[in-house]
Amino acid sequence: MLKKYVPKPGRREYVTFLLLVVEIILFGILAPNFLTVDNLIRVVQNNAEIAMVSIGMTIVMLLGGIDLSVGSVMGVIAIVIGYMLQAKVNIFIIVAVAILIGIGVGFINGFLVAKFNIPDMIVTIATMNIWKAVIFALLGGKWLTGLNPSWGAVTRARVLGIPVLLLLIIAVYALFYYFLMYRRFGRYIYATGCNPHSANLSGINVKKIRLVSYCISGGIAAFAAMLYIARMGSVEMTIGSDLPIACIAAVTIGGTGAKGNGKRGSVIGTLAGVLFIAFLKNGIVILGIPSLLENCFIGTLIVLSVLFDAVTANGRFKKSKEAA
Amino acid sequence: MKKIAFSIAKSRTKFLLLLFVIELIVLSLISPYFFSVNNLMQVTQFGASLTLLSLGEALVMIAGRDGIDISVGSAMSLSGVIFGLVVIKGGSILMATVITLLTGAVLGMINGLLVAVAKVPALIATLGTQYIYGSLALYLTGGIPISGFPDGFKVLSLESTLGIPNQILFVIVPVSILVFILVYKMKFGRRVYLMGTNPEAAKFTGIREKKIRSSVYILTGVLAAVSAIINNSWLMTARADAGNGMEMQAITVAVLGGIGVAGGIGHLGGVLIGVIIITMMNSGLQIANVNSVWQLATLGFILIIAIILNQLMSRYVASVEKNME
């Protein structure tokens, strides 16, 4: 029997993984405290939300879009969860409401993008600011503290010495990898990202795909909000303000190019990107480099990473040389 | 009635003027102090930096290929910080100005090289440089605002001539006129528009895309540097977070002013009216004591509504014109 044919997008993830390994070895040599189990686990725990949200961002960016509102969306949901926890609402209701809000909010983004054909960035910048104002209105300048959801114990637990949180992240990534690579819906996403016109002609409802991608992004943000509350136990005004950029950085370094490059990238690459940035931040702190320069390193990495993509993408560099 | 509606829908400028009048009426109903010539003149200085940033942003968007510059805000912060450092280290204001303008040009050129020569998507490239510039500005100041400018530096932004704030009269107006001449009276502007409307045609007319596109980004960087100097004089400090959030406002203003995100569409005149509308709104909301978070949210709403209106109007114009044929 013939093996089932599974088309694979361009393999760019290897580069990120290579970089990741080099980075870990480098920091391991330079900073003796880096390669301890405790440190590595702490890094993963501190970046759990970024890891989650980056999945949604990967899907949106595979379609050539971008979602800048994820951070504020996560903030709004975290606050709603916080209030519900204080009111001692049943935990299943809390989870359901959180995910519904996430999907609903994502639907608004997706609806504006797909239906009115407004550029993704403009829509999500606008909704980002609207949700920021909602965060402000909901919190009214105070903090929500002392939140201890019952799922917090689960995420902090360990099975055979491995944190459940880490297993959870790996499981979610595996799930989305499977769906994007081996299920029809995932193929549709790659096809639409590569060429929306031919995708449309081949019978894919491009608008629906776009809409759904934002719903997924919002739903995952709800998931991230739950992890955030479990980790921090409190919510304050600036929640999630750095999140979208961190996720875009991770996705880009992981090889999913923005703007219509469904040709390459996958959630596995994104995971490598998330870990790369997380270890970089950690290493910078351990090595004693001024943390004000942290963003400078990340920015440089983003630029280098897209430069690398631009140079290698389909010999585009060669072509533009000929034209000049 | 239908004729009037059509003419307003067809001309962005008329639509914006209408919006402006409505806004003035609403704001003067909220606060009786608002509608005085003196107040209106003073309000303009809030929009000084935004004007230049939006002009740059609009040009980048007009030049097409999904052009956008997210780094304008942090380019403004960084060049402002460098201005402050030069003055603190004993340089004269003139020297600091020259160095700052050069800094702006270099920051813009980095964006230009990435976008025009290396063909990196503008969004991601400028996102990266936004990180870099903002972080460098923070690092150079150590997070502490630089103050201690000579008293004479106040002349630029804290004093008025004939009731008009100096920075408007002596910087914003002349610089805007220069930009308008460059864009609407010279070859450069035509080329920028052509690149935005039809990149293929632009290529075959022999336009050197890399050169023109890079110069657009450089111009944007220089404009950011100029607004940094004005802002420094206005606050009499150089802050590393001076330009935070400015890119969002600049993009909003450009889109509200009728600049098409796909490139080649829109007029800088609309952008100027857009700046006035946004500035009036911000100061009106400030007078009404509304938190700045809500101002950003209002901006967000305006942005979405402006784009939906853009589309509805162009559809309406197209249908009316079809009927006329």
Side-chain angles (χ1 to χ4, degrees):
Chain A
M1 214 174 88
L2 273 174
K3 231 175 108 188
K4 196 178 159 199
Y5 172 65
V6 178
K8 291 272 162 65
R11 282 297 189 202
R12 158 70 212 287
E13 296 93 310
Y14 296 137
V15 180
T16 318
F17 269 107
L18 198 70
L19 283 175
L20 186 63
V21 171
V22 170
E23 183 191 37
I24 290 175
I25 294 172
L26 201 69
F27 279 137
I29 295 169
L30 289 176
N33 297 338
F34 180 76
L35 266 184
T36 57
V37 177
D38 271 352
N39 184 50
L40 295 185
I41 287 178
R42 203 179 315 129
V43 170
V44 172
Q45 278 172 342
N46 288 346
N47 287 281
E49 297 103 55
I50 296 182
M52 283 297 160
V53 175
S54 294
I55 298 177
M57 188 70 87
T58 309
I59 297 176
V60 171
M61 281 173 78
L62 275 175
L63 288 166
I66 201 153
D67 188 351
L68 294 170
S69 70
V70 277
S72 335
V73 168
M74 185 186 95
V76 171
I77 298 171
I79 292 168
V80 174
I81 294 177
Y83 277 126
M84 285 196 289
L85 282 173
Q86 282 181 345
K88 305 230 179 334
V89 179
N90 184 313
I91 192 135
F92 292 105
I93 298 179
I94 295 182
V95 173
V97 169
I99 291 176
L100 277 182
I101 295 177
I103 293 176
V105 164
F107 184 84
I108 298 175
N109 280 337
F111 186 75
L112 287 169
V113 167
K115 178 82 185 169
F116 287 99
N117 225 359
I118 308 174
D120 307 68
M121 203 198 56
I122 307 270
V123 169
T124 52
I125 278 189
T127 49
M128 169 182 81
N129 282 284
I130 294 168
W131 298 125
K132 264 188 192 164
V134 171
I135 290 177
F136 179 80
L138 284 176
L139 278 181
K142 58 180 200 293
W143 288 38
L144 285 181
T145 50
L147 307 170
N148 192 12
S150 42
W151 64 79
V154 179
T155 54
R156 277 190 294 272
R158 292 190 182 191
V159 176
L160 306 171
I162 307 165
V164 174
L165 190 60
L166 183 61
L167 294 176
L168 191 73
I169 292 173
I170 292 174
V172 174
Y173 267 93
L175 187 75
F176 272 94
Y177 183 78
Y178 172 73
F179 264 100
L180 284 175
M181 281 297 165
Y182 297 101
R183 305 308 300 182
R184 188 180 291 155
F185 179 72
R187 311 305 328 160
Y188 281 0
I189 285 180
Y190 276 98
T192 312
C194 274
N195 191 336
H197 289 292
S198 39
N200 194 26
L201 287 177
S202 62
I204 298 173
N205 189 342
V206 172
K207 283 188 178 170
K208 196 172 118 198
I209 298 277
R210 283 235 159 86
L211 191 75
V212 170
S213 77
Y214 279 97
C215 292
I216 294 176
S217 179
I220 289 180
F223 207 55
M226 290 192 269
L227 292 182
Y228 181 90
I229 289 210
R231 179 165 72 93
M232 307 289 287
S234 64
V235 186
E236 38 100 21
M237 272 292 291
T238 54
I239 178 174
S241 53
D242 292 339
L243 192 66
I245 309 278
C247 293
I248 294 170
V251 174
T252 314
I253 293 172
T256 308
K259 273 295 151 204
N261 270 331
K263 288 167 198 141
R264 44 168 93 191
S266 70
V267 284
I268 296 293
T270 302
L271 184 60
V274 171
L275 292 177
F276 185 76
I277 293 178
F279 287 138
L280 183 78
K281 279 187 188 165
N282 182 252
I284 286 174
V285 174
I286 290 184
L287 287 181
I289 298 169
S291 62
L292 291 177
L293 272 180
E294 182 186 292
N295 280 347
C296 186
F297 282 100
I298 299 174
T300 313
L301 273 174
I302 299 180
V303 169
L304 286 180
S305 166
V306 278
L307 257 181
F308 176 82
D309 278 355
V311 170
T312 53
N314 305 332
R316 216 200 277 160
F317 194 62
K318 249 188 211 161
K319 235 189 269 167
S320 65
K321 250 185 187 166
E322 280 161 19
Chain B
M1 191 61 211
K2 217 172 176 185
K3 245 183 191 168
I4 298 173
F6 178 66
S7 99
I8 286 177
K10 198 171 180 188
S11 155
R12 188 72 189 182
T13 328
K14 278 181 196 160
F15 167 71
L16 287 172
L17 284 176
L18 184 75
L19 197 65
F20 180 51
V21 172
I22 294 173
E23 189 182 22
L24 274 185
I25 294 170
V26 171
L27 286 179
S28 48
L29 283 179
I30 292 175
S31 160
Y33 301 105
F34 189 80
F35 202 74
S36 66
V37 175
N38 197 20
N39 182 47
L40 289 183
M41 275 302 155
Q42 291 312 312
V43 164
T44 52
Q45 57 184 317
F46 287 92
S49 326
L50 186 58
T51 313
L52 298 182
L53 294 182
S54 317
L55 285 179
E57 191 72 59
L59 269 180
V60 169
M61 283 161 86
I62 289 172
R65 263 231 341 253
D66 297 312
I68 196 134
D69 190 348
I70 303 190
S71 71
V72 275
S74 30
M76 178 179 149
S77 304
L78 181 54
S79 39
V81 164
I82 284 179
F83 183 90
L85 285 178
V86 173
V87 172
I88 293 300
K89 292 270 146 65
S92 66
I93 295 287
L94 183 70
M95 194 172 115
T97 306
V98 173
I99 292 177
T100 309
L101 293 181
L102 279 178
T103 310
V106 170
L107 297 183
M109 194 162 77
I110 296 172
N111 285 336
L113 286 177
L114 285 173
V115 175
V117 180
K119 316 262 181 211
V120 173
L123 179 67
I124 302 288
T126 54
L127 202 67
T129 52
Q130 180 203 31
Y131 252 52
I132 300 174
Y133 300 164
S135 163
L136 279 180
L138 261 179
Y139 178 68
L140 288 175
T141 58
I144 306 156
I146 302 173
S147 51
F149 290 117
D151 245 16
F153 188 44
K154 273 186 186 162
V155 176
L156 182 59
S157 292
L158 286 173
E159 283 166 25
S160 309
T161 311
L162 307 169
I164 306 170
N166 275 353
Q167 75 266 43
I168 302 292
L169 190 62
F170 296 118
V171 183
I172 304 298
V173 173
V175 170
S176 306
I177 291 175
L178 277 181
V179 171
F180 269 71
I181 292 175
L182 187 66
V183 174
Y184 293 111
K185 293 288 168 206
M186 289 170 79
K187 272 186 213 155
F188 175 76
R190 301 258 174 83
R191 288 176 174 160
V192 170
Y193 267 91
L194 181 56
M195 265 183 353
T197 1
N198 193 337
E200 290 297 309
K203 198 164 138 192
F204 289 119
T205 27
I207 290 174
R208 281 151 79 188
E209 193 198 336
K210 286 179 193 170
K211 200 174 118 191
I212 304 284
R213 202 179 292 283
S214 311
S215 357
V216 170
Y217 279 93
I218 293 173
L219 183 63
T220 307
V222 173
L223 288 174
V226 176
S227 53
I229 298 172
I230 298 172
N231 200 48
N232 278 357
S233 159
W234 196 41
L235 302 172
M236 285 307 269
T237 46
R239 303 177 60 100
D241 60 354
N244 280 11
M246 287 299 262
E247 62 279 345
M248 152 77 183
Q249 294 194 21
I251 294 169
T252 311
V253 165
V255 174
L256 181 68
I259 305 292
V261 191
I265 302 165
H267 192 280
L268 293 184
V271 176
L272 286 187
I273 305 178
V275 174
I276 297 173
I277 290 179
I278 297 276
T279 313
M280 290 282 162
M281 190 200 76
N282 277 347
S283 71
L285 289 177
Q286 238 154 36
I287 290 173
N289 216 354
V290 177
N291 189 287
S292 64
V293 181
W294 289 108
Q295 295 173 23
L296 279 178
T298 322
L299 268 184
F301 276 118
I302 293 182
L303 191 58
I304 292 180
I305 293 169
I307 297 198
I308 294 180
L309 263 181
N310 267 3
Q311 291 182 356
L312 291 183
M313 277 185 199
S314 55
R315 232 177 270 168
Y316 176 69
V317 168
S319 76
V320 171
E321 274 175 347
K322 214 176 178 185
N323 283 345
M324 282 204 275
E325 282 163 16

